[in-house]
Amino acid sequence: MSEQYDCVPEASWIPSEKLKFINRYVVERKDTCISCGLCGSLCPYGVHQRIEGHAKVLPPYSQRCIGPTCASNDFHCVSHCPTNSLSVRESETFSALGDVRWTTDMILATWHMAETGEMLPLDHPGNTGRAGGGFDHLHFKLGDVPEKVDYAEFSTAIDLNRRKSGERRRIAIPVYGGGMSYGSVSLHTMVARAKAAKAWGTYTCTGEGGYPAELVPFKDNVITQIATGLFGVKEETIMRAPIVEFKYAQGAKPGLGGHLLGDKNTPLVAKMREAVPNTSLFSPFPFHSVYSVEDHKKHLDWISSINPQALLSVKVSTPNDVEMVAIGSYYAGAHIVHLDGGYGGTGAAPEIAKKNIAMPIEYAIPKVHKFLTNEGVREDVTLIASGGMRTALDVAKAIALGADGVVIGTAEMVALGCVRCGNCESGRGCPRGIATTDPVLYLQMDTNWGAQRLTNLFSAWRKQWCHLLASFGMKDITELRGRTDLLRYDAGEEVRA
């Protein structure tokens, strides 16, 4: 059955008691303050206020302070205070949150979009990190960005089957959810992702941990994954899947296979994976039944014999000869070639692997795109990229480099409340209840709350894509594919020095 998704789900305000606004700066007022009210009359941002009829000035509203940059203004409260009672410092909480790839600005911006569905301005600091490379040094040569656009005039949909035969599958936005397995994340996280995927007419992936029964109501939007450990692989789940993904390698740990430590392998997880509880589970590398394109084709033919309607996706990492891997997968029968770069992975992926093994995804995408084009098959294969796509602009940059669409993972987790603490693999795991198998912790998250936050995030992202397309005079996200001429590379201050 052909699937067409033209509707855009409604965003709605979905607050959280746990995800409070975090001040960038803290404004402090000493006891020497005489409540003269001068600061209140000077500050245009409302940091200092006095209620009518009260003698004392209210405590500073630090959320509104713009920080040290205000010192050059003639309304700077600190320099004008007659008793030197005011001071401004950076918030310890703000500076402790996040890391160079996921900065505090980016995390807070993602929370805001997930809460409200409102887009970020294209020049907002939350659109880029400060990792010293990758997409953080790629920027669009923006034209005039209109303040208002009619979102209905723009298409952000992409086709996942570009071959001449087979099921036509089209998703409303150029993203779908990456594989995060039962055990690595909680069941509530998986269900929330599936609900959001259904609302947006896109997909989410089970990962390699099996197919929980709770996902069956969303089967039309769930990709099932087959990895080298064959955990939870069953004919019944293959038969219900619209897309089956073979995971040959992942960019965060190529050559290492997957692993789930014993603390997270609870009896329920072990039952799903048909394994022994409380033991560490490892997926070997590679598939020891695949050493040629012919072997690879036998794998894909196996799935086609069970479910002829399923699209076949092949997930690979990014070795130096990644273009040869991609063309081999195409000739083996793959509809989707999924390139997974080295920036991805959760807190469970080894840092030494993430930072030193796979080719950066921004190099792999154009390499494969150009090779497939030169081979004359680019229009017959869908090229999907993943590995550290954090924002709507990261997605757009991947498309401009030559991808058709993008798979995301960590961005969804951040929208659900992840603070990047890196405890994904340990013991009870995530204190937010996202990446945990602990039955008490994962109940913190209501699946409807989580699904709406993800729905809001995609709504905000789609608005950003529409504004970006409008700045280039485009109406369709597919027009952006391969437009490297719209990108510029900024080496950064430290490289230029």
Side-chain angles (χ1 to χ4, degrees):
M1 182 177 64
S2 178
E3 295 176 338
Q4 299 290 331
Y5 294 104
D6 299 315
C7 62
V8 175
E10 288 289 329
S12 63
W13 188 53
I14 189 80
S16 171
E17 289 300 313
K18 300 183 182 71
L19 308 179
K20 296 295 187 182
F21 183 90
I22 297 175
N23 304 337
R24 181 188 289 267
Y25 303 105
V26 175
V27 182
E28 295 177 323
R29 182 181 291 118
K30 297 178 183 177
D31 292 338
T32 53
C33 172
I34 58 175
S35 292
C36 65
L38 178 61
C39 54
S41 63
L42 288 171
C43 181
Y45 305 111
V47 176
H48 309 283
Q49 295 180 10
R50 172 187 276 156
I51 298 177
E52 191 68 32
H54 283 247
K56 294 272 187 185
V57 178
L58 295 176
Y61 192 18
S62 295
Q63 287 179 222
R64 297 178 176 174
C65 180
I66 65 171
T69 57
C70 191
S72 60
N73 297 320
D74 56 9
F75 51 76
H76 185 225
C77 62
V78 175
S79 58
H80 283 84
C81 178
T83 57
N84 296 318
S85 299
L86 293 173
S87 62
V88 178
R89 60 177 174 80
E90 189 171 85
S91 163
E92 295 90 346
T93 305
F94 184 94
S95 57
L97 183 65
D99 49 53
V100 292
R101 282 201 54 77
W102 276 90
T103 63
T104 311
D105 280 319
M106 189 178 287
I107 290 175
L108 295 181
T110 303
W111 288 355
H112 174 74
M113 289 185 287
E115 182 172 296
T116 65
E118 297 174 0
M119 64 167 277
L120 293 184
L122 297 183
D123 59 353
H124 190 281
N127 288 316
T128 54
R130 47 182 177 82
F135 291 127
D136 292 340
H137 283 173
L138 280 177
H139 305 283
F140 280 106
K141 303 171 185 175
L142 293 174
D144 293 329
V145 181
E147 291 186 11
K148 294 183 179 180
V149 299
D150 182 356
Y151 300 121
E153 293 181 355
F154 296 83
S155 172
T156 55
I158 63 169
D159 292 309
L160 294 183
N161 181 7
R162 301 166 65 87
R163 285 182 176 267
K164 302 300 186 289
S165 61
E167 286 288 300
R168 315 314 297 173
R169 298 197 184 275
R170 184 172 173 83
I171 53 178
I173 49 177
V175 296
Y176 60 85
M180 284 183 275
S181 59
Y182 181 47
S184 66
V185 296
S186 74
L187 181 60
H188 280 204
T189 298
M190 297 183 78
V191 172
R193 297 177 77 208
K195 287 182 177 180
K198 182 177 181 178
W200 267 104
T202 186
Y203 297 95
T204 187
C205 182
T206 63
E208 62 174 311
Y211 197 125
E214 288 80 359
L215 296 184
V216 173
F218 312 100
K219 65 182 186 301
D220 291 339
N221 301 91
V222 175
I223 301 168
T224 194
Q225 189 182 82
I226 299 173
T228 57
L230 299 179
F231 293 121
V233 175
K234 298 179 180 179
E235 280 199 13
E236 64 186 74
T237 61
I238 294 171
M239 290 175 66
R240 73 166 69 108
I243 302 174
V244 176
E245 179 178 89
F246 275 96
K247 185 175 78 171
Y248 286 91
Q250 58 191 104
K253 40 191 173 181
L256 301 179
H259 65 281
L260 184 77
L261 299 187
D263 285 342
K264 297 189 77 173
N265 182 19
T266 64
L268 286 175
V269 172
K271 182 179 179 181
M272 182 66 60
R273 295 186 178 224
E274 299 177 316
V276 177
N278 304 313
T279 59
S280 294
L281 303 178
F282 295 89
S283 297
F285 181 85
F287 273 107
H288 291 298
S289 55
V290 177
Y291 290 98
S292 66
V293 174
E294 290 75 18
D295 291 340
H296 183 20
K297 188 176 188 306
K298 290 177 184 177
H299 257 184
L300 302 186
D301 288 347
W302 163 45
I303 298 303
S304 291
S305 67
I306 297 173
N307 182 356
Q309 285 75 43
L311 298 192
L312 304 174
S313 174
V314 176
K315 179 179 179 179
V316 297
S317 60
T318 52
N320 285 334
D321 61 347
V322 62
E323 71 275 24
M324 301 307 296
V325 175
I327 193 71
S329 291
Y330 166 74
Y331 282 115
H335 300 90
I336 300 169
V337 174
H338 174 177
L339 308 178
D340 192 33
Y343 299 130
T346 65
E351 287 295 308
I352 191 170
K354 287 197 290 185
K355 294 179 178 178
N356 295 286
I357 300 180
M359 180 191 299
I361 192 66
E362 71 271 17
Y363 294 134
I365 296 170
K367 187 175 187 182
V368 173
H369 171 68
K370 291 175 182 177
F371 187 83
L372 295 178
T373 300
N374 292 336
E375 290 293 303
V377 301
R378 181 64 186 89
E379 298 308 318
D380 296 329
V381 63
T382 299
L383 186 61
I384 297 293
S386 65
M389 317 300 180
R390 304 151 297 177
T391 66
L393 287 190
D394 280 355
V395 173
K397 291 170 189 176
I399 294 173
L401 289 171
D404 291 296
V406 161
V407 160
I408 61 167
T410 303
E412 289 184 314
M413 303 301 99
V414 172
L416 295 175
C418 170
V419 295
R420 301 278 290 168
C421 68
N423 289 326
C424 306
E425 69 171 344
S426 61
R428 298 175 72 193
C430 172
R432 297 282 189 181
I434 302 167
T436 182
T437 54
D438 186 276
V440 176
L441 287 175
Y442 76 65
L443 289 176
Q444 291 184 84
M445 186 176 67
D446 176 76
T447 58
N448 289 328
W449 174 89
Q452 188 60 56
R453 286 183 69 89
L454 295 176
T455 299
N456 287 353
L457 178 69
F458 296 147
S459 179
W461 280 14
R462 185 178 188 277
K463 292 170 185 174
Q464 282 188 289
W465 294 323
C466 292
H467 281 262
L468 181 67
L469 292 175
S471 77
F472 296 134
M474 299 176 179
K475 293 289 186 180
D476 195 309
I477 196 78
T478 60
E479 296 179 65
L480 188 61
R481 194 190 77 182
R483 292 295 304 273
T484 54
D485 58 302
L486 299 177
L487 293 168
R488 62 179 175 83
Y489 180 75
D490 177 9
E493 292 295 333
E494 70 282 357
V495 176
R496 286 194 291 269

